[in-house]
């Protein structure tokens, strides 16, 4: 089986590649920006024509946290649209190639009933701070649906909850919540700061999934030949931002006081995915939050320079 992983150097792509490499029945091609510019339709077509994969795992995307999403709205929608348009157009002549497309839980409406089921798609207004990114991901789902209905392609859309783990982006202004907190709190510990500030009130509830669990879900989809559909991929557990900060504080062994800045936005007050559909097929996460945070912090320490 020939599998092409797009975006193989990112957090998700590198995890997927590591997991799939262990299977001797899979011939894996790990595509990066070095071999293919996915903003180029010509280069994207050439990659697919040359490798002729049985399955494409699309983990290529511009991603970031709440601040990056809000400040780089144009880049988030344009870059992600370009990538997905070129992939879908390149696949038109290859209905035999299955596409596993990765989205995000931010595609669901701000007021969706929690836990959020796949049927909540397109039933309401998006969360304002990351709506450009969400619109790009929604468009990718719609394009996949169009190509499957018109040309017969099999497209699986996976909507993971908030991801974290090794190879994440730990920068201060572009990171998601967990890597951002780890990076800033580690610095606060190093500089012996007595206070550590966190955006928002700390009350929002969030669900987190260690990236290797998503990679194993993708492997499960491939090996079990799961039928095309939209699947939520979550941990089925939620935690307040305040409790999350305390867990990270314990892992890092930071002794300062945590200050919550309630003048900054909280984002969605609660966002828990209903992963019943994929759980019923046989996949479940295996790495708990505390274990995942320890692994992530160790990777950060080993790679921060």
């Amino acid at each position: 089986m020939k599998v092409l992983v797009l975006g193989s150097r990112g957090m998700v792509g590198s995890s997927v590649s590591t997991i799939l490499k262990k299977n001797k029945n899979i011939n894996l091609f790990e595509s990066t920006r070095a071999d293919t510019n996915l903003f180029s339709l010509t280069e994207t077509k050439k990659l697919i024509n040359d490798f002729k994969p049985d399955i494409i795992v699309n983990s290529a995307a511009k991603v970031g946290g709440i601040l990056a999403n809000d400040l780089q709205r144009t880049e988030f929608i344009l870059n992600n649209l370009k990538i997905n348009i070129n992939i879908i157009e390149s696949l038109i002549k290859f209905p035999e190639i299955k596409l596993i497309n990765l989205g995000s839980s931010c595609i669901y409406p701000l007021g969706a009933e929690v836990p959020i089921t796949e049927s909540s798609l397109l039933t309401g207004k998006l969360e304002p701070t990351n709506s450009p990114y969400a619109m790009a991901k929604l468009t990718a789902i719609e394009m996949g649906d169009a190509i499957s209905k018109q040309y017969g392609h099999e497209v699986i859309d996976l909507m993971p909850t908030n991801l974290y783990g090794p190879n994440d982006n730990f920068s201060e202004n572009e990171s998601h919540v967990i890597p951002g907190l780890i990076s800033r709190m580690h610095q606060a510990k190093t500089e012996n700061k007595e206070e550590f500030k966190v955006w928002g009130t700390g009350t929002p509830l969030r669900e987190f999934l260690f990236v290797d669990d998503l990679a194993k879900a993708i492997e499960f989809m491939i090996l079990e030949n799961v039928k095309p559909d939209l699947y939520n991929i979550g941990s089925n557990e939620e935690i307040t931002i305040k409790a999350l900060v305390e867990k990270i504080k314990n892992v890092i062994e930071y002794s300062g006081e945590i200050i919550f800045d309630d003048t900054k936005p909280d984002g969605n007050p609660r966002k828990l995915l209903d992963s019943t559909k994929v759980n019923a097929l046989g996949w479940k996460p295996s790495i708990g939050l505390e274990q995942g945070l320890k692994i992530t912090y160790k990777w950060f320490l080993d790679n921060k320079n």
Side-chain angles (χ1 to χ4, degrees):
M1 184 187 300
K2 299 175 73 175
V3 179
L4 171 61
V5 177
L6 303 176
S8 67
R9 290 297 177 267
M11 177 178 66
V12 174
S14 59
S15 179
V16 171
S17 296
T18 299
I19 296 296
L20 295 185
K21 279 178 185 175
K22 297 175 183 178
N23 191 316
K24 295 181 180 179
N25 294 319
I26 291 178
N27 176 11
L28 186 68
F29 187 91
E30 303 168 68
S31 178
T32 70
R33 294 177 184 176
D35 63 76
T36 305
N37 176 13
L38 294 175
F39 291 155
S40 165
L41 177 60
T42 300
E43 290 191 30
T44 307
K45 282 185 174 180
K46 185 178 186 303
L47 172 65
I48 293 171
N49 275 313
D50 290 350
F51 186 63
K52 293 183 173 59
D54 299 298
I55 297 173
I56 293 177
V57 178
N58 178 23
S59 58
K62 177 176 177 60
V63 297
I66 196 170
L67 181 62
N69 271 277
D70 202 25
L71 296 180
Q72 301 176 46
R73 301 176 73 84
T74 305
E75 289 81 3
F76 270 87
I77 191 166
L78 289 181
N79 290 356
N80 286 295
L81 279 175
K82 286 177 183 177
I83 290 169
N84 286 286
I85 288 171
N86 288 338
I87 293 168
I88 293 295
E89 188 169 345
S90 298
L91 283 176
I92 288 176
K93 294 182 179 179
F94 300 100
E96 70 278 7
I97 298 177
K98 179 183 288 188
L99 175 63
I100 298 178
N101 185 53
L102 297 179
S104 166
S105 59
C106 72
I107 65 165
Y108 292 116
L110 178 61
E113 184 178 349
V114 179
I116 304 170
T117 64
E118 292 86 350
S119 62
S120 296
L121 190 71
L122 297 175
T123 59
K125 185 178 180 181
L126 298 169
E127 205 283 316
T129 56
N130 59 13
S131 57
Y133 178 71
M135 285 300 299
K137 290 300 182 180
L138 285 167
T139 303
I141 295 171
E142 189 66 22
M143 287 191 294
D145 182 66
I147 198 174
S148 65
K149 288 178 178 176
Q150 187 172 350
Y151 296 102
H153 293 71
E154 292 190 1
V155 180
I156 294 176
D157 290 297
L158 303 184
M159 299 301 120
T161 191
N162 300 295
L163 298 170
Y164 70 99
N167 285 300
D168 207 341
N169 181 352
F170 289 85
S171 70
E172 182 175 349
N173 294 325
E174 295 189 5
S175 60
H176 287 104
V177 58
I178 286 180
L181 287 170
I182 286 176
S183 177
R184 292 196 304 110
M185 195 179 292
H186 174 79
Q187 183 177 356
K189 176 186 175 181
T190 302
E191 297 175 357
N192 295 313
K193 290 187 176 180
E194 296 181 356
E195 293 183 350
F196 180 81
K197 290 187 177 180
V198 180
W199 269 35
T201 62
T203 59
L205 287 160
R206 290 292 181 269
E207 176 188 28
F208 297 96
L209 184 74
F210 190 67
V211 67
D212 286 1
D213 276 328
L214 173 61
K216 290 173 184 176
I218 292 169
E219 180 187 41
F220 177 85
M221 296 284 162
I222 293 172
L223 299 182
E224 298 299 321
N225 195 26
V226 172
K227 71 174 184 176
D229 207 340
L230 177 72
Y231 298 95
N232 286 340
I233 308 292
S235 63
N236 300 312
E237 296 180 358
E238 57 186 342
I239 184 172
T240 64
I241 296 298
K242 183 177 181 179
L244 171 68
V245 171
E246 289 297 326
K247 285 185 181 293
I248 293 173
K249 181 180 179 181
N250 291 336
V251 168
I252 294 178
E253 298 180 344
Y254 172 67
S255 58
E257 182 183 1
I258 306 298
I259 306 294
F260 288 92
D261 183 358
D262 60 9
T263 66
K264 296 294 192 293
D266 275 332
N268 205 327
R270 188 184 180 205
K271 192 165 64 174
L272 173 68
L273 295 182
D274 185 333
S275 299
T276 301
K277 187 190 292 187
V278 70
N279 293 158
L281 296 177
W283 174 85
K284 286 182 174 60
S286 60
I287 299 173
L289 183 57
E290 289 189 16
Q291 180 188 0
L293 289 175
K294 290 177 182 177
I295 295 170
T296 304
Y297 184 51
K298 183 181 184 305
W299 185 92
F300 170 78
L301 290 177
D302 292 342
N303 293 274
K304 62 185 175 68
N305 294 324

